[in-house]
Amino acid sequence: MDPHIGFSIHVRQLVTDAAHPPRAADIHELRALQKARGERDASAAEERAASLSHTLASRTRRAGPRVIWGEGSQDYAPGSPRTTADRTSGFVKAMSDAGLRPVVVYHNLSTAELYEKALHYEPSSHIVAGGALATISGAKTGRSPQDKRIVREPLSQQDVWWGEGSHNYEMDERTFSANRERAVDYLNHLERLYVCDGYACWGPEARVRVRVVCARPYHALFAHNLLIRPTEEELANFGRADFTIYNAGAFPANRFTSYMTSETSLAVCFSKREAVILGSQYAGCMKQALFMLLNWHLPRHGMMPLNSGCNVGPAGDVALFFGLSGTGKTTFSTDPKRRFVGDDVLGWGDSGVFNIEGGCYAKCIGLSKEREPGIHAAVRFGAVLENVTFDEDSREVDYDSAAITENTRVSYPIEFMANALVPCVAGHPTNAVFLCCDLFGVLPPVSRLSQQQALYYFVSGFTAKAAGTEAGVGQPEPTFSPCFTSTSLVWHPMKYAAMLADKLERHGTEVWLVNTGWTGGRFGTGSRMPLEYTRAVVDAIHSGALAKAQYQTLPVFNLQVPTACLGVPSELLLPSSSWADGEAYERELRQLARRFVANFERFLDGGGYVKPEAARSIAAAGPTL
């Protein structure tokens, strides 16, 4: 017997049971009872539908797909798509203008719904032990800075740092429009797509509305984690977005189009406030697109974007942590003894600092409960694990595996961090820490910087690459990434330096250079600075003990080094004391100094934001040969 027929007979039998009257005539009605519908304001729903249709319209065809809300009719699509503007008006097929094919637009689905879609439609999606969703991004497992493009157009071309040393490669407006059409046409040809609306910037004076349009459930869940999640009331009145990101990453860019060098393209147009992703399904492209948009937008409104982590102590003291990959920025930002504000991208305005994002996107290669307990605990239901390997039977994740990539990642809402400070806003920083990993072993574990030195090391953005970390890197190499985020910078580094100088002067922030790299010799001879020593240094910065310490001068770099720091052996504070070969230390010291000086020469003109004499004054705070 058909089980559905059997169910109907059973329901009819229950009619005589007065205590438990039937509430469904068949299995379809029973399933309908399983999901409760919230009340919606009709006018707000219609406005939201119009907003989504506008977003999905192409430049040449004004009509986008019609968006409807609620449960689709049985002949519309399998599953339970959220469809139209008026729950009481019946259900209408949403039609794409591209060939009038049915297309379902899933708008701001919950985490659970996105899990369902990912598991149903993507064979590469799995639930792993702990409840996180594990998936793969495809061939691209990292960012592609050489494929990033910014439109050169009248509104913003004077703001953008073009030319030597910049990672800003230009594109004209026509080519951007062609890429946007390619992305929108691809998205409109799909049977289903996903839209996530949310906010960027926790600071009320900076908050902007962001819309992400994408083709994969995991990208929608990533966007849900990345953005600040709106309340139901905020979502109902969201309106049109200030910034829109079109993620058509599964569809390649046309390599024969002007300005294209590969199948991958991340293009941003500031006048249209849009970003288009083609040829890469790596979720980090959406994060980079958003930070680029805000790197241009915030300075125009007097706020400084920061590639930095932040936390707040029990006494309300705020600390910033700048640093490139492998320097310890996430480790120190997520200190469990302090309240966590953010680990990567911030803004600094008149009221203090604020997180730009609503979540975290952390590296998880080598992740362990012992080393990173906060992040480890955050890998649970709602988190997205990207490109990790797991055991087929137990579903336990192998965080040490680099079988797919060394750049394994996890994204999760910031509330998943037990010590998160929500809303993610704080006052003006008491301390700012510049983290570097000096593989040459010549920089001290901590130095106190003057304001001019702070600007010098901020613009330099120094760390080093170890042999074997990248193809072709055989020996340690210094890396200079201006403002600690060269691939996401929009304005000239001296623009950000001028903003930093103003903030340091107005708020009296102390700045420190902390080396988490090698001691007792260069990479291959010496050893990595023990983490407990660096933690002791950072604790002494937080407590104010280092601000009161006695100092000595490091030759050549002219850095002020404390003579003592609780928890750190005194012989490590001045690096020359820990080297067995004094002459070898002197050679390495001067060689690194020459690299610093050569790197800074490109900034001596001030970039139009700092007068040349002021730029030379900043350069004078660097090493002297």
Side-chain angles (χ1 to χ4, degrees), residues 48 107-108 197 199 230-239:
R48 197 183 329 174
H107 181 244
N108 272 63
D197 288 342
Y199 298 102
T231 65
E232 281 293 324
E233 182 179 357
E234 289 172 332
L235 186 59
N237 298 291
F238 192 81

Side-chain angles (χ1 to χ4, degrees), residues 122 136-148 179 182-183 186-187 212-216 218-220 222 245-255 260 262-267 275-289 361 386-387 407:
E122 297 192 341
I136 56 176
S137 65
K140 299 284 185 175
T141 58
R143 292 179 300 173
S144 303
Q146 299 300 318
D147 296 312
K148 185 189 75 174
N179 275 18
R182 191 172 176 89
Y186 166 73
L187 292 167
V212 176
V213 185
C214 53
R216 295 186 63 180
Y218 113 78
H219 285 158
F222 177 89
I245 299 171
Y246 295 93
N247 185 351
F251 197 67
N254 184 346
R255 297 183 63 182
M260 296 294 104
S262 76
E263 294 180 339
T264 300
S265 172
L266 193 169
V276 175
I277 299 167
L278 292 165
S280 175
Q281 297 179 73
Y282 177 62
C285 291
M286 291 181 281
K287 175 184 171 74
Q288 185 180 26
Y361 188 44
E386 196 173 30
N387 298 320
N407 187 37

Side-chain angles (χ1 to χ4, degrees), residues 311-555:
N311 59 33
V312 183
D317 57 299
V318 179
L320 299 178
F321 295 89
F322 297 82
L324 301 172
S325 179
T327 60
K329 181 177 66 171
T330 299
T331 298
F332 294 109
S333 298
T334 56
D335 185 341
K337 301 188 297 295
R338 296 168 65 84
R339 299 300 301 276
F340 175 59
V341 177
D343 70 339
D344 196 33
V345 289
L346 309 172
W348 189 351
D350 291 338
S351 301
V353 296
F354 53 85
N355 196 346
I356 285 175
E357 300 171 337
C360 303
Y361 188 44
K363 277 190 174 181
C364 55
I365 190 75
L367 178 65
S368 72
K369 186 176 182 179
E370 294 71 30
R371 288 193 296 266
E372 302 286 355
I375 297 174
H376 191 273
V379 186
R380 53 189 173 91
F381 179 80
V384 181
L385 284 162
E386 196 173 30
N387 298 320
V388 300
T389 301
F390 57 87
D391 183 88
E392 185 175 1
D393 297 321
S394 70
R395 290 298 196 263
E396 292 289 343
V397 178
D398 182 1
Y399 290 112
D400 294 323
S401 173
I404 299 174
T405 176
E406 290 187 2
N407 187 37
T408 54
R409 292 275 180 170
V410 59
S411 79
Y412 48 85
I414 198 161
E415 296 89 344
F416 282 18
M417 295 295 289
N419 62 332
L421 180 63
V422 179
C424 302
V425 295
H428 297 290
T430 303
N431 294 289
V433 178
F434 296 167
L435 296 159
C436 69
C437 179
D438 173 24
L439 296 172
F440 305 97
V442 299
L443 295 181
V446 59
S447 310
R448 186 179 186 177
L449 303 181
S450 67
Q451 181 171 316
Q452 291 296 87
Q453 286 177 322
L455 301 181
Y456 181 86
Y457 286 97
F458 176 70
V459 172
S460 297
F462 166 73
T463 193
K465 295 176 184 175
T469 58
E470 289 189 11
V473 179
Q475 294 294 325
E477 291 185 1
T479 298
F480 297 100
S481 183
C483 311
F484 298 97
T485 180
S486 63
T487 58
S488 296
L489 286 186
V490 174
W491 303 72
H492 191 280
M494 282 297 185
K495 165 71 172 180
Y496 302 102
M499 297 184 77
L500 180 62
D502 175 66
K503 303 242 178 238
L504 295 180
E505 186 173 350
R506 282 202 288 160
H507 304 297
T509 306
E510 293 275 9
V511 185
W512 309 84
L513 180 66
V514 172
N515 173 27
T516 63
W518 261 243
T519 184
R522 74 194 320 266
F523 180 83
T525 302
S527 58
R528 184 83 188 251
M529 189 76 65
L531 181 58
E532 60 265 30
Y533 294 166
T534 308
R535 287 195 189 278
V537 164
V538 173
D539 286 344
I541 291 172
H542 291 323
S543 70
L546 279 187
K548 302 173 185 176
Q550 298 294 316
Y551 285 84
Q552 55 194 325
T553 302
L554 180 76

